[in-house]
Amino acid sequence: MKKIGIIMGSDSDLPVVEKAFAVLKEFGVPFEAHVYSAHRTPVQAREFAENARANGFGAIIAAAGMAAHLAGALAAATTLPVIGIPISSKAFGGADALLSTVQMPKGIPVATVAADGAANAAWLALQILAVSDGELAGKLDAARAENAAVVLARDAALQEKLAAD
Ligand code: RP5
């Protein structure tokens, strides 16, 4: 099975990124995580992306805040799909990182999730791997069915309450 690479610009991003770890663990998909910064350690970040396909990765998740160039810098060095997580910061609440991550020039796309949207980054990475992995696609279908059952149970509870009022 292909691995997911997770790169974060700083260990201060970890509390958000851990939500992606949790989703990947739930589905039993292997991942590797590193702290590499587009600005502070550009050589290591680039090397990771350049070698990612040969090293068995199928997608890369990149989390960074503020002047968030990490996802774009990684995407420039690989044709693997790169998913960007803009990390929210005090000054602009994540709008800075969101725009820095999403506004890529044509030819070098970054699939950008919501600010601090680490769980969805992991779900999207799983869906990318599931394009060529039927077993994983089945697990994703089952998880969606479970989520739907939870929502429908909540709706049923609401209908009961409204009927009783
Ligand atoms: C970004 O700058 C990192 O991804 C982090 O979100 C932000 C602040 O980094 P630290 O100063 O906390 O290391 O590059």
Side-chain angles (χ1 to χ4, degrees), residues 8-13 37 39-40 63-68 70 87-88:
M8 64 203 93
S10 168
D11 61 351
S12 65
D13 301 325
S37 161
H39 305 119
R40 294 162 171 161
M66 300 166 68
L70 182 59
I87 301 290
S88 60

